[in-house]
Amino acid sequence: MRIPAHSVCTAIRDDIVSGVHERGSRLTEELLARRYGVSRVPVREALRTLEAEGFVVTRRHAGACVAEPTEQEAADLLEMRMLLEPLGASRAAQRRTEAHLKVLRGLVRLGQERARRGNSEDLRSLGGWFHETLAQASGSPALTSMLTQLRHKIAWMYAVDAPANPVESWAEHGAIVDAVARGDGERARALTALHTERSTAAHRLRFRGAGDRPDRVRNSQHPVNMPSLRH
């Protein structure tokens, strides 16, 4: 059965983010098609999409390669996130549905419970789901798409330290949801801006300078049909 191109794109993107395909390494259609068990057509389409997103570049005499963003480009992503996430929260206060609120409140309850237990791995996943749902609640597909792409790229370029006080961090999530539920866009924006600024300090760049360009590919642990990574 032919795997849809968007599934191949997700698989390649996830493997780039997790370091399976390393920065600067070549991405040949033939090897990728064999790796993911598809024809070269969806691989070619996926590479075009990933190039538009900034994960892949086409080099003369080398073809498609994993991009090697600079430190400034990485820093710009964090600044963009600090601008867009508060905007998304403000829009969510105006456009959220009861279904969005139910999911957000459920995530906050789980996050607060896990924070008290000190389960950092669960908290990382829950935090990703929280911010993804908050973006979806903005009612803007374009903004949601931009924030999703930002999260993928930031996860690729940065390692994130666990919050020094996860209970306080999830209390901030709860306050944001309360503001969204009341329809208070300005407060939702301000709380999210403060939360994003604090979390930005926990990001550590994974690379320095251009680095090497190895062609080595490690074994992937992300099946093609698995959902995309959340951060």
Side-chain angles (χ1 to χ4, degrees):
M1 183 178 69
R2 182 178 182 274
I3 296 175
H6 73 270
S7 296
V8 179
C9 184
T10 296
I12 298 174
R13 186 193 299 110
D14 285 354
D15 281 344
I16 289 174
V17 170
S18 63
V20 173
H21 302 301
E22 297 183 347
R23 298 174 72 250
S25 63
R26 293 184 63 192
L27 297 168
T28 64
E29 291 180 11
E30 182 179 358
L31 291 177
L32 290 173
R34 188 158 59 240
R35 178 180 183 80
Y36 299 110
V38 296
S39 72
R40 293 174 64 170
V41 173
V43 169
R44 190 176 303 125
E45 294 173 1
L47 290 176
R48 282 198 292 264
T49 298
L50 292 170
E51 184 168 18
E53 292 179 355
F55 289 97
V56 171
V57 295
T58 300
R59 293 198 176 104
R60 194 174 184 180
H61 307 306
C65 300
V66 178
E68 296 180 274
T70 65
E71 292 184 35
Q72 183 58 61
E73 288 170 334
D76 287 346
L77 293 176
L78 290 180
E79 187 171 356
M80 291 168 64
R81 176 173 170 258
M82 291 177 67
L83 292 171
L84 292 179
E85 284 205 342
L87 174 62
S90 175
R91 292 290 184 270
Q94 301 163 9
R95 303 173 181 172
R96 89 293 183 279
T97 66
E98 287 302 315
H100 289 133
L101 285 178
K102 182 177 181 180
V103 173
L104 288 168
R105 285 169 170 155
L107 289 169
V108 168
R109 283 195 298 272
L110 282 173
Q112 291 174 337
E113 177 186 329
R114 299 295 193 277
R116 288 191 292 269
R117 295 181 180 179
N119 192 325
S120 60
E121 285 306 311
D122 279 357
L123 289 177
R124 191 179 301 275
S125 297
L126 289 170
W129 292 332
F130 175 88
H131 287 287
E132 183 174 319
T133 304
L134 186 62
Q136 291 171 352
S138 72
S140 170
L143 181 57
T144 301
S145 177
M146 290 178 69
L147 284 168
T148 298
Q149 190 178 137
L150 274 175
R151 280 193 294 275
H152 285 306
K153 289 179 126 179
I154 289 171
W156 175 34
M157 299 182 199
Y158 289 92
V160 184
D161 296 329
N165 189 337
V167 173
E168 180 180 339
S169 179
W170 277 94
E172 292 174 2
H173 284 130
I176 292 169
V177 174
D178 288 342
V180 168
R182 291 196 304 271
D184 190 340
E186 285 306 310
R187 181 161 176 77
R189 182 195 294 267
L191 289 171
T192 304
L194 180 60
H195 176 74
T196 304
E197 182 178 357
R198 288 175 176 170
S199 67
T200 295
H203 288 67
R204 292 179 291 103
L205 204 60
R206 295 184 187 273
F207 61 88
R208 294 291 174 186
D212 298 326
R213 295 182 179 178
D215 287 329
R216 180 170 59 89
V217 176
R218 294 193 293 272
N219 290 330
S220 171
Q221 296 181 353
H222 303 290
V224 171
N225 291 324
M226 288 293 287
S228 179
L229 293 174
R230 295 183 173 91
H231 296 271

